[in-house]
Amino acid sequence: MNKKQKKMLKRIIVASILFIIIKVVKLPEYIEIPLFLVAYLEIGYDILLKAFKGIRNRQVFDENFLMAVATVGAIGLKSFDEATAVMLFYQIGEWFQSYAVGKSRKNITELMDIRPDYANVEDENGNLEQVDPDEVEIGTIIVVKPGEKVAIDGIVVEGSSTLNTAALTGESLPREVSENDEVISGCINMTGLLKIKTTKEFGESTVSKILDLVENASSKKSRSEAFISRFARIYTPAVCYSALALFLLPPVFNLIMSNPADFGTWLYRALTFLVISCPCALVISIPLSFFAGIGGASNQGVLVKGSNYLEALASCKYVVFDKTGTMTQGVFEVAGIHHANIPEEKLLEYAAMAESYSTHPISKSLLKAYGNTIDKSRIENVEEISGHGVKAVIDGVQVLAGNDKLMKMYNIPYQECHSIGTIVHVAIDGKYAGHIVISDMLKPHAKEAIEALKKAGIKQTVMLTGDVRSVADKVASELHIDKVYSELLPQDKVNKVEELLSLKHSKENLAFVGDGINDAPVLSRADIGIAMGALGSDAAIEAADIVLMDDDPLKISKAIKIAKKCIHIVYENIYFAIGVKLICLLLGAIGIANMWVAIFADVGVMIIAVLNAIRALNVKNL
């Protein structure tokens, strides 16, 4: 509890003790009434003050005004116990609401406790000095000891270790890092000492951007929140005027009909009407539901930029995927060696050595598959032939490594390959030696992700890719994706998404899932843009509405389930709060409901709605 909550709790306890003593002990009226007033003022002076300030600032119609008018009116009718009880229970409800919101904020802060307090920097004597991360410049060497957080994004220049990325991704799987590996802020160093050369300022680092994103998510209101805000602005003055009408019209009608006016009875009913009508349950619980939903999602490694996107995701019926880096790992690997007329190891060695000077992903995959250090002294006369491949002399023999165009250029008969992937043909001294198949590997949970989406209520899954049709069809078939469009340029992807948007129902939403780097135009065009965050890539965080921090496509269905649960809770609270209030307002108007019913309709409903809203935090087992 903070100081304000502790102070209010003391006031509640003092007022409650006074109230109980007055109700239990039989006291003379001249003592009882002053004690009730003391209890009333002890618990309600701040409400009266806020109501007065509201009237003075011409912002009259709020819950403080309703409580002040209702309780002062009750005192005027000499219902001192009811006036005190209404104010007491209202403040108990407000305190509970404040405590619950604070608790949920604390939970979310703990879940996202990734902000480092300091960075270790070596001084001139080699001693470590703890400095504010904001003061560390780009290019500074920081030291991260085991158990400490990585303060700023950078590259490892010395040491190797295991990093715990759970706070960023929601996954407990550790990540191994060593020299020349990139690391991002917010991870926890688990084992070895690391020296990291910073590549960004703290304000631009991953941890700062993530925290800023989560903290500012509440500024982007959903349609439900906007509706409740507009509703409260119209509703509160409407019930005030209704209460005034309830107080004046029936007595006037009675006077016209020559019956007793009975102003006291109708004033009591009007005051009860005001207490019942307080819109606290809606105004508090709806934003809290979204806040809790966004917090629960962030704990699972799903960053949602605003409650409007969470609401849109709950209505998502179509999911469109990019292929490379989204459903596949974007890492090319040797998948097979075919038709080799020399030992396969030797064929791979020749290809890797010929490609060793290239930075192309295909070259890197050959070098990785070869696995040995390249002896550059064995390689001579390397010539890269654009769009075809490489020619080189290795150990005195001419080696050609490339596509079928390279084989045709040198009139070398080659063997067609029917496998899906990139084919690297190899010829030695003008004779065909075989070919190597290189494929982009599917992500471990890609197939499971599509199945989970269909179970979550997605009508159609679509894949868009710039790859050739054979590769795209094979991936779509393996993953059981409904539709696939291949050989698309970036602008073609935008056009295709616009076409899909035009075919869907207006109340259904379409999400596009991409890597956030090459797909920014499509991400922004879709109803919801979901980016594979690549452990916090800047482009992903900037381009998308929702970011999956661990690149796992299975998290898409998780995000949809979180959104649906959150919206379900929101509508539960709306229907429950409005339903109970309407019933109690009707009962109050006809004289069946008294102030005690009014207290339940206000405070009781608010407490139930807040407790229900906090359920949105619990998303682990969805």
Side-chain angles (χ1 to χ4, degrees):
M1 284 189 290
N2 56 36
K3 283 184 179 179
K4 190 176 179 181
Q5 289 168 346
K6 286 178 181 177
K7 184 181 176 182
M8 176 52 71
L9 184 59
K10 287 177 184 176
R11 288 172 58 196
I12 288 170
I13 291 169
V14 170
S16 298
I17 291 170
L18 272 173
F19 186 80
I20 291 167
I21 289 172
I22 299 166
K23 294 296 285 183
V24 171
V25 180
K26 296 291 182 182
L27 296 170
E29 194 174 279
Y30 65 88
I31 296 176
E32 184 181 272
I33 292 173
L35 284 178
F36 265 130
L37 291 174
V38 168
Y40 172 80
L41 290 172
E42 167 63 21
I43 197 63
Y45 71 84
D46 54 333
I47 301 297
L48 298 174
L49 188 60
K50 287 175 186 175
F52 173 74
K53 286 180 179 178
I55 294 167
R56 188 180 63 188
N57 296 329
R58 297 181 182 178
Q59 295 177 335
V60 178
F61 299 112
D62 61 10
E63 61 269 24
N64 298 305
F65 176 77
L66 297 181
M67 287 298 110
V69 171
T71 54
V72 170
I75 289 171
L77 292 173
K78 298 185 178 180
S79 299
F80 299 104
D81 57 345
E82 290 185 346
T84 306
V86 167
M87 194 64 84
L88 176 61
F89 283 103
Y90 175 76
Q91 291 285 45
I92 290 172
E94 286 289 298
W95 179 87
F96 176 82
Q97 173 273 125
S98 171
Y99 181 77
V101 171
K103 190 80 173 173
S104 67
R105 283 185 183 274
K106 185 182 177 185
N107 288 345
I108 292 167
T109 303
E110 287 173 356
L111 297 175
M112 291 297 295
D113 186 21
I114 56 178
R115 181 185 170 88
D117 300 316
Y118 60 86
N120 296 315
V121 179
E122 287 185 348
D123 60 19
E124 294 176 355
N125 301 319
N127 298 319
L128 289 183
E129 181 184 356
Q130 290 187 357
V131 300
D132 190 319
D134 279 316
E135 297 174 3
V136 178
E137 296 179 354
I138 295 173
T140 304
I141 305 296
I142 62 171
V143 178
V144 185
K145 294 182 281 188
E148 292 183 331
K149 293 170 190 165
V150 177
I152 305 168
D153 296 7
I155 297 172
V156 178
V157 293
E158 186 180 320
S160 60
S161 183
T162 303
L163 298 181
N164 181 348
T165 64
L168 296 172
T169 66
E171 299 292 337
S172 57
L173 190 67
R175 179 186 169 205
E176 303 293 332
V177 294
S178 55
E179 277 188 42
N180 299 319
D181 284 343
E182 289 188 12
V183 293
I184 60 172
S185 49
C187 299
I188 298 173
N189 184 18
M190 296 172 66
T191 52
L193 185 80
L194 291 175
K195 289 190 176 181
I196 298 168
K197 185 176 182 179
T198 61
T199 55
K200 296 178 184 176
E201 293 180 346
F202 179 69
E204 292 298 313
S205 63
T206 300
V207 67
S208 293
K209 289 196 172 187
I210 292 170
L211 288 171
D212 183 61
L213 187 155
V214 174
E215 287 165 6
N216 292 324
S218 59
S219 65
K220 295 179 180 176
K221 289 189 174 183
S222 67
R223 285 179 298 175
S224 299
E225 286 178 289
F227 162 74
I228 293 303
S229 298
R230 291 195 304 271
F231 175 81
R233 284 198 298 269
I234 298 166
Y235 169 83
T236 308
V239 295
C240 287
Y241 291 127
S242 298
L244 184 62
L246 185 63
F247 167 55
L248 294 175
L249 295 182
V252 170
F253 180 76
N254 283 337
L255 288 172
I256 292 169
M257 300 300 293
S258 302
N259 294 323
D262 201 5
F263 278 104
T265 298
W266 290 104
L267 177 59
Y268 182 83
R269 291 185 187 183
L271 297 174
T272 303
F273 189 92
L274 283 178
V275 175
I276 293 169
S277 66
C278 189
C280 298
L282 289 172
V283 173
I284 292 165
S285 69
I286 306 309
L288 179 60
S289 300
F290 282 108
F291 182 74
I294 290 169
S298 68
N299 176 236
Q300 297 300 305
V302 179
L303 298 184
V304 183
K305 287 189 176 181
S307 50
N308 53 334
Y309 303 122
L310 200 65
E311 187 173 42
L313 191 62
S315 302
C316 182
K317 293 297 178 184
Y318 300 87
V319 179
V320 181
F321 299 92
D322 175 47
K323 183 181 77 68
T324 306
T326 302
M327 303 311 286
T328 64
Q329 297 178 27
V331 178
F332 293 90
E333 294 185 4
V334 171
I337 298 174
H338 302 160
H339 304 289
N341 52 31
I342 61 173
E344 290 184 358
E345 295 80 8
K346 195 68 179 174
L347 183 73
L348 183 59
E349 181 182 13
Y350 276 132
M353 294 185 84
E355 295 271 7
S356 62
Y357 286 93
S358 173
T359 57
H360 194 278
I362 299 300
S363 307
K364 291 179 180 178
S365 64
L366 288 169
L367 291 168
K368 182 182 177 182
Y370 176 54
N372 298 317
T373 304
I374 299 292
D375 182 0
K376 296 289 180 77
S377 65
R378 296 169 58 191
I379 310 168
E380 299 175 290
N381 303 329
V382 178
E383 181 185 349
E384 189 158 348
I385 304 166
S386 180
H388 293 69
V390 177
K391 180 173 77 170
V393 175
I394 300 169
D395 296 335
V397 299
Q398 187 188 72
V399 176
L400 296 172
N403 56 27
D404 52 0
K405 294 177 185 177
L406 184 67
M407 297 296 106
K408 289 174 183 175
M409 178 185 286
Y410 285 88
N411 297 315
I412 297 171
Y414 64 93
Q415 187 73 44
E416 293 273 2
C417 185
H418 300 289
S419 298
I420 302 298
T422 300
I423 311 302
V424 179
H425 297 282
V426 180
I428 300 170
D429 276 343
K431 293 182 178 179
Y432 189 69
H435 59 249
I436 300 166
V437 182
I438 298 172
S439 298
D440 188 4
M441 309 302 288
L442 291 176
K443 285 190 175 178
H445 295 145
K447 188 174 181 180
E448 192 181 346
I450 300 299
E451 292 172 359
L453 283 171
K454 290 177 179 176
K455 287 179 183 175
I458 296 301
K459 285 184 177 180
Q460 189 178 67
T461 54
V462 181
M463 188 172 75
L464 309 180
T465 178
D467 266 353
V468 295
R469 184 173 179 177
S470 57
V471 174
D473 287 346
K474 182 175 184 291
V475 171
S477 175
E478 285 184 20
L479 297 179
H480 298 189
I481 288 175
D482 300 321
K483 284 188 179 180
V484 58
Y485 300 93
S486 55
E487 301 179 24
L488 300 174
L489 296 172
Q491 61 266 32
D492 297 330
K493 290 183 181 180
V494 176
N495 293 337
K496 189 56 68 176
V497 165
E498 287 181 342
E499 181 186 318
L500 292 168
L501 286 168
S502 68
L503 296 173
K504 70 177 182 63
H505 192 277
S506 59
K507 291 186 179 179
E508 296 174 335
N509 286 328
L510 179 145
F512 178 82
V513 188
D515 58 23
I517 299 168
N518 303 316
D519 298 309
V522 205
L523 283 166
S524 59
R525 182 64 191 88
D527 294 320
I528 311 126
I530 303 176
M532 296 291 172
L535 281 174
S537 111
D538 291 345
I541 290 176
E542 293 298 329
D545 306 318
I546 296 170
V547 181
L548 308 181
M549 291 305 295
D550 62 354
D551 282 10
D552 185 354
L554 194 56
K555 289 286 178 69
I556 303 166
S557 61
K558 183 84 168 182
I560 291 171
K561 288 175 185 176
I562 290 170
K564 285 185 174 180
K565 179 177 180 177
C566 182
I567 296 301
H568 188 70
I569 288 170
V570 165
Y571 282 111
E572 280 178 351
N573 281 344
I574 290 173
Y575 295 141
F576 172 69
I578 292 177
V580 170
K581 283 188 180 293
L582 286 176
I583 292 168
C584 291
L585 283 171
L586 180 62
L587 294 176
I590 61 178
I592 296 175
N594 58 17
M595 279 286 185
W596 297 102
V597 174
I599 290 168
F600 168 74
D602 177 32
V603 180
V605 169
M606 179 174 69
I607 290 173
I608 293 169
V610 167
L611 285 173
N612 194 38
I614 292 172
R615 287 198 304 117
L617 269 173
N618 185 20
V619 297
K620 194 170 185 180
N621 298 319
L622 286 180

